Amino acid sequence: MTLLQALFLGLLQGLTEFLPVSSSGHLAIAQHFMPGFEQPGVLFDVMLHVGTMVAVLLYFRREVGNLLVSPFRRDEQARLYRRLLALLAAGSVPTAVIGLTFKDFFEGLFHNLTVVSLMLLVTGTLLFLSERFRRDGRKQDQLTLSDALVVGTVQGMAIVPGISRSGSTIAALLLKGVDGETAARFSFLLALPAVFGAALLSLRDLHAVADGQLPVYLAGTGIAFLAGLASIHLLLGVIRKKRLFTFALYCWAAGSLFFCLSM
């Protein structure tokens, strides 16, 4: 992998991780058309996801800090964050079960442009339905165990390239009557344990990285982090303005185009 390829893929990951258009799908498509692109397993892709998750940690540092100290405090705010922490833990269970059970199968789909294209069409449909039938109302303190388990299951399925993790999880919460900004924040926080878990599993591929490639990998990760900060801010604005339909159109167009190219 060249430095230019790593920087381009890092930028692509950062911009598409939080916008509901499937970062994994875009990475798979871009890598498909890159001559000579190679990586051990999906190590580079996971490193890019780590970069964007560090952006989440920085952007939501207050929420993350409150979550971490909530078990050691007894005030009302800490009680609410302990409840949120428990819901995030519950939601992580189905994600982990699905990810660990089907990891190898899903990784194999990254090289199947037809599957990626079809899943982009699915993502567009989910966004359209969530915008059409969303029922804003419930805030963070009204999230339920059912919400967490449904979103955790959806997040687990979003390991399929072309299914947007942020788009599908936010869509699920919107359809369950959760406020848009609350849905986005819960989606971002729920991704943290999943991505760092995937990063730990991918460390086994680190020894296969060619000499001199690690700085290239880190450069791509850094770009993903910077672009991720910008895309978080952009998506929160889109959610507030209820304009997810725009991204549905994009996913339908991209999915249709690359499906035709894959035939």
Side-chain angles (χ1 to χ4, degrees), residues 1 9 13 27 31 37-51 103 107 110-111 195-210 213-218 220-221:
M1 185 193 322
L9 292 172
Q13 161 68 20
L27 288 177
Q31 292 166 7
F37 177 86
E38 292 183 0
Q39 63 168 317
V42 290
L43 176 63
F44 181 64
D45 292 2
V46 171
M47 287 184 65
L48 295 185
H49 279 82
V50 170
K103 179 178 182 292
E107 283 186 3
F110 276 78
H111 306 292
V195 171
F196 286 120
L200 290 175
L201 290 175
S202 294
L203 287 177
R204 66 185 181 184
D205 295 324
L206 191 59
H207 71 281
V209 177
Q213 282 284 285
L214 189 56
V216 174
Y217 278 41
L218 293 175
T221 303

Side-chain angles (χ1 to χ4, degrees), residues 68-74 78 82:
L68 293 176
V69 302
S70 63
F72 310 104
R73 292 169 44 190
R74 291 294 175 265
R82 281 197 302 275

Side-chain angles (χ1 to χ4, degrees), residues 47-69:
M47 287 184 65
L48 295 185
H49 279 82
V50 170
T52 49
M53 287 305 102
V54 174
V56 172
L57 287 173
L58 180 60
Y59 198 93
F60 296 108
R61 56 192 178 277
R62 180 176 299 178
E63 287 89 340
V64 173
N66 285 328
L67 286 169
L68 293 176
V69 302

